[in-house]
Amino acid sequence: MASFTDLVSGYHRFRDTDWVRERARWEKLVGGQSPRVMVIACSDSRVDPAQIFDTAAGEIFVVRNVANLVPPFELDGKRHGVSAALEFAVTQLEVEEIVVLGHGACGGVHASFTKEFKDTPPGEGGFIDHWVDLLDEARTRSIAEHGEGPAAIRALEMETVRVSIANLRTFPCIPEREAAGKLRIHGAYFAIHDGLLHIMDDSGEFAPA
């Protein structure tokens, strides 16, 4: 596993290779960014959207968090990192597409499914529990339909995408732009065990890309 020293060594390789090869791109990016796509993905170290989609710097605007979740639109005066990033991407960068990317073997989904951090204080698991409780209703549906085995966990991993897309549409700026044909929303699921990307159709079902 990489250490900070390894990261610095990687930086030197980047400066000697990709930076030189893509210098014109980087000089253009100094003036600002104009990605057409926003990707909302999990923080999991195995699921890097830039790697999965083979993109270069400046091509996608990425937000990563536990279980690739989008909270609903809330006016409670608290700080909302995902909401701020979403607002910036949609209203300032004016991205044309948003992709919510779920994945297999998701630790956040496991925490939701097992309730392992329930009743723990913040700093010991409480923040995680209060974040993944966004999936409580989806968890109940998955267990009701699939029991409490691997099939239910996989179903809940895919539910993270559906829940996040539903919450996206509680932000006023989203349905307005969808209705005007200025924004499209996509769901996707990356299976770590076989490297397959699945795309969600209009009915909410997933199939290999």
Side-chain angles (χ1 to χ4, degrees):
M1 297 299 171
S3 66
F4 180 66
T5 300
D6 295 325
L7 299 184
V8 174
S9 296
Y11 155 74
H12 287 295
R13 291 193 300 274
F14 161 73
R15 282 285 297 181
D16 291 339
T17 57
D18 289 350
W19 170 262
V20 175
R21 185 167 53 247
E22 298 286 335
R23 185 61 183 270
R25 171 185 289 274
W26 286 100
E27 288 178 350
K28 184 177 179 180
L29 290 173
V30 169
Q33 59 174 323
S34 55
R36 295 175 56 191
V37 181
M38 176 185 191
V39 179
I40 300 169
C42 185
S43 299
D44 194 302
S45 61
R46 301 165 293 178
V47 190
D48 180 0
Q51 183 178 37
I52 292 169
F53 296 122
D54 191 25
T55 59
E59 290 188 324
I60 57 175
F61 184 82
V62 181
V63 173
R64 301 180 69 175
N65 63 55
V66 174
N68 46 270
L69 290 171
V70 175
F73 181 76
E74 295 175 311
L75 297 173
D76 57 11
K78 297 180 181 178
R79 293 182 173 88
H80 296 278
V82 175
S83 301
L86 175 64
E87 183 178 67
F88 182 74
V90 173
T91 68
Q92 304 305 305
L93 296 177
E94 297 185 322
V95 296
E96 299 170 12
E97 299 179 277
I98 298 175
V99 180
V100 179
L101 177 65
H103 72 96
C106 179
V109 167
H110 184 268
S112 167
F113 194 82
T114 61
K115 292 292 183 183
E116 62 182 295
F117 297 114
K118 184 176 175 58
D119 299 325
T120 58
E124 297 179 19
F127 285 130
I128 299 170
D129 183 64
H130 186 47
W131 181 249
V132 299
D133 66 13
L134 286 165
L135 294 172
D136 280 355
E137 291 183 10
R139 173 184 181 274
T140 299
R141 289 195 302 272
S142 298
I143 291 175
E145 184 173 352
H146 301 283
E148 298 193 19
I153 294 175
R154 180 177 170 86
L156 187 55
E157 288 169 349
M158 293 182 174
E159 281 283 354
T160 66
V161 178
R162 301 186 187 100
V163 168
S164 289
I165 289 176
N167 286 343
L168 275 173
R169 290 182 169 131
T170 66
F171 288 77
C173 61
I174 300 294
E176 289 175 1
R177 283 168 170 76
E178 282 189 290
K182 296 180 179 179
L183 180 66
R184 289 182 294 168
I185 295 176
H186 310 276
Y189 174 88
F190 181 74
I192 291 175
H193 74 282
D194 58 14
L196 289 180
L197 181 74
H198 297 71
I199 303 298
M200 191 180 80
D201 62 23
D202 292 339
S203 70
E205 297 303 314
F206 288 84

